[in-house]
Each structure stands twice: as C-alpha cells, then as structure tokens.
Amino acid sequence: MSLLRLEAVTRSVELPDAPPLEILKGVDLEVAVGDHVSVVGRSGSGKTTLLNLLGLLDTPTSGQIVFDERPVSQLGSRARDRARGSDIGFIFQQFNLLPGRTALENVMTPLLYATGRQFWRRRQLAGEMLERVGLGERMLSMPEKLSGGEQQRVAIARALVRGPRLILADEPTGALDIDTGASIMALVDEVAEQSGAALITITHDANVAALARRHYRLDKGVLTAVDVTRVLAMAAPEVSL
C-alpha cells in the first residue's frame, strides 16, 4: 500500500536577473507502508529541499505529491499542518531539544497539539516512549545533562510519540560518533518496524544509507535508484559521488 508518492516533482527558485535555479529535477519516488528508504547525497545535492517536500513543509514547482492516496495540492495549509503533526515524525541531526525542559517534557511537546486520549495521556505516553528507547531512568534529566546519544534518543522518542506513519530522519547520526550512530539507527529501524511506520533516511553517510532496504542517490537534483553495493562503494574515500 502506497503511503507517499512523488511524481515528476521539480523544485526551482526564481533568481533576479537570471534563469530559475533548478534544485530538484523530475523526481519520482514511491514509499509504501512499513518501507525503509535511504537517500544519500552530498551537500548541495538537494537533500534539504527534498526533505521539505516529503515532510509537506513545501510544495513542488511542478509535478505531484500524493500522501495517503490524496494529492497534497488538494490540501489547504491547515490540512497539511494536521497531516504533518499527526502522521509525520521528524528526527534531526542537531536534536533541537528545548532547553530548560526535561527529557519527559520534550517528548510531551508534540502531544500538546493532540486531541482526545493522546492529549490527556500525554505524560504517560511520553514516559512509555522514553522507556522504549532506553531512557526510563533519565526522564527528569535536562538536555545538557545527557550525552549526545541520549539526546538523540530523546529526539527519536519525541518524533515517534504520536505514532507517525512516516518517519523522516535528516542526517540522524551526523552529530554522533560511529558506534553511537550505528546503535541509534538500529533503534530507529527497530521502532519503525514494530510500529509499521515507513522510514526515509536522508544522509550524506553511505554507511547509514546502506542500512535501508531500498536505496537512492541524489545528485544535482536527480534522484536515481541504486543497489546496496553501489551505496557502500560511495563510502570509499577514493570513489567520487
């Protein structure tokens, strides 16, 4: 079952006294429920622009994005906000935790915009998610008292607490050492699989990208499917992207 589909999507920016700058060029991508897809590309390849489109934060210049079998162009800004808040979880490289708030309060934050049982059970749900990522004993700790790996686990718990159907991981291990990054990605994949969520990992790290089940390369705005052997070859320093 298709959850998200991009059809011939382009994104360009108008420049004064110059032709438009083409950032994405005819991108086609289909992500099914429970899928794990990686997109690897260098800085400047269009990864951030693609992430904004996948997360319903932006709209394409041309082409079509279909989320849950409904064209996003048919959704108003409020409907996109609701879909993003309830169905999409974001995991960022820099964690983006709220200073002066405990780990529990950080994870509770998305539930302040929930309704019904999720809102009234927000403290319980946040605590259960922190337990799930191995931070049950650190719930009342402030972000500055947590290690980088622990902060990323809080960020993961915050992204997953509303039970999103799509998880977007943007350079999720970029601020971590290799061993911690590997354990973090294993955790994200495990939680996504258990919940049946689709996971899209956008990264410049070919080793992280190789952990997915389907792999893509983004180069100068062009998205191309590649096999895992090609992804791992990208990690070799002598091989140019």
Side-chain angles (χ1 to χ4, degrees):
M1 177 181 175
S2 176
L3 176 63
L4 178 67
R5 189 166 67 250
L6 275 63
E7 301 173 347
V9 164
T10 71
R11 187 70 175 93
S12 60
V13 176
E14 295 291 334
L15 298 177
D17 303 320
L21 175 63
E22 293 184 321
I23 302 174
L24 295 178
K25 306 171 184 178
V27 171
D28 293 308
L29 176 66
E30 185 166 4
V31 180
V33 174
D35 208 352
H36 183 182
V37 174
S38 68
V39 178
V40 63
R42 281 184 167 179
S43 177
S45 62
K47 298 195 305 297
T48 299
T49 299
L50 179 61
L51 175 78
N52 289 340
L53 292 172
L54 294 171
L56 310 187
L57 293 165
D58 198 1
T59 56
T61 302
S62 66
Q64 180 171 243
I65 300 176
V66 180
F67 186 80
D68 199 19
E69 298 301 330
R70 187 174 180 185
V72 173
S73 59
Q74 296 180 3
L75 302 177
S77 60
R78 289 187 179 181
R80 289 199 306 272
D81 289 346
R82 286 195 298 270
R84 188 167 55 250
S86 61
D87 293 329
I88 303 176
F90 293 86
I91 302 173
F92 300 102
Q93 174 182 347
Q94 297 299 334
F95 318 141
N96 294 336
L97 300 182
L98 296 172
R101 298 288 188 271
T102 65
L104 182 65
E105 290 169 333
N106 267 278
V107 178
M108 285 171 54
T109 301
L111 297 172
L112 296 174
Y113 305 95
T115 58
R117 287 173 56 83
Q118 275 197 332
F119 176 80
W120 295 111
R121 297 178 60 232
R122 59 191 182 277
R123 180 173 291 272
Q124 177 185 346
L125 292 172
E128 290 173 353
M129 186 55 68
L130 283 168
E131 291 276 4
R132 194 171 181 181
V133 300
L135 290 179
E137 297 181 355
R138 304 285 272 159
M139 292 186 192
L140 302 182
S141 297
M142 295 293 182
E144 62 270 19
K145 299 296 183 181
L146 301 173
S147 69
E150 289 172 332
Q151 290 185 49
Q152 186 62 294
R153 287 172 183 264
V154 175
I156 290 169
R158 182 183 58 191
L160 302 181
V161 72
R162 290 195 69 176
R165 301 165 66 196
L166 173 64
I167 303 167
L168 297 176
D170 179 24
E171 300 285 6
T173 63
L176 305 174
D177 62 75
I178 294 175
D179 291 339
T180 302
S183 66
I184 287 295
M185 282 310 304
L187 173 64
V188 173
D189 197 24
E190 176 186 352
V191 174
E193 186 171 0
Q194 289 174 353
S195 62
L199 171 61
I200 302 177
T201 304
I202 298 179
T203 181
H204 72 280
D205 189 333
N207 292 307
V208 170
L211 299 174
R213 290 184 282 278
R214 293 197 296 125
H215 315 90
Y216 290 84
R217 173 190 178 191
L218 186 62
D219 185 24
K220 298 179 181 177
V222 177
L223 188 70
T224 307
V226 294
D227 62 28
V228 68
T229 303
R230 175 60 178 145
V231 171
L232 289 172
M234 293 178 192
E238 69 274 9
V239 177
S240 173
L241 290 177

